[in-house]
Amino acid sequence: QVQLVESGGGLVQAGDSLRLSCAASGRTLRFLTMGWFRQPPGKEREFVGSIWGNSDTKVYADSVKGRFTISRDDDKKMMYLQMISLKPDDTAVYYCAAGLQSTIPIRSTRAYSYWGQGTQVNVSS
């Protein structure tokens, strides 16, 4: 079992940077795929990016590629999402997630068994 807690959200202006953190407790994260998703107001939850377990391989949504960077520290049981050049379209509740690697596509919410409660990011124009 894994418990995830996000932090670091807030209100920023377009062009600003923000770093989200995801603190995990429970089993080791080392072999879990970790991901970030977001849910904009009135829309479905969408994939932001993921990082494979026991690897540095990362995948990003096209909408954030080059602006967002995922990192993880398995010893500290932490994952981070560094966001730069934020846009109003980045406004959403951001969720961290974890799951065992499987045949389910990594961009699907179904690939993740564990979810945090979310942290709100608001980007004003």
Side-chain angles (χ1 to χ4, degrees):
Q1 194 76 353
V2 176
Q3 293 78 42
L4 303 172
V5 178
E6 304 93 338
S7 61
L11 173 62
V12 297
Q13 293 186 330
D16 284 353
S17 300
L18 201 61
R19 189 177 84 153
L20 305 183
S21 299
C22 175
S25 60
R27 61 171 290 174
T28 179
L29 300 182
R30 199 168 303 276
F31 301 103
L32 296 178
T33 296
M34 303 289 293
W36 288 98
F37 286 75
R38 67 186 183 185
Q39 188 162 12
K43 297 183 179 180
E44 293 187 352
R45 195 169 299 190
E46 62 185 30
F47 174 78
V48 173
S50 291
I51 181 168
W52 262 262
N54 208 29
S55 168
D56 199 38
T57 302
K58 303 170 190 178
V59 177
Y60 296 98
D62 288 344
S63 59
V64 306
K65 200 173 295 183
R67 299 188 299 122
F68 290 11
T69 303
I70 294 174
S71 60
R72 61 192 290 169
D73 186 332
D74 290 337
D75 291 333
K76 295 182 178 179
K77 292 188 177 180
M78 296 291 296
M79 181 177 63
Y80 306 97
L81 182 65
Q82 178 67 49
M83 305 183 291
I84 66 171
S85 302
L86 282 162
K87 306 174 182 179
D89 284 349
D90 295 318
T91 294
V93 177
Y94 283 72
Y95 298 90
C96 70
L100 292 171
Q101 294 181 33
S102 70
T103 58
I104 300 174
I106 199 171
R107 297 170 187 263
S108 169
T109 57
R110 296 182 296 110
Y112 303 86
S113 301
Y114 309 106
W115 292 85
Q117 83 291 346
T119 185
Q120 180 72 48
V121 173
N122 290 308
V123 184
S124 63
S125 57

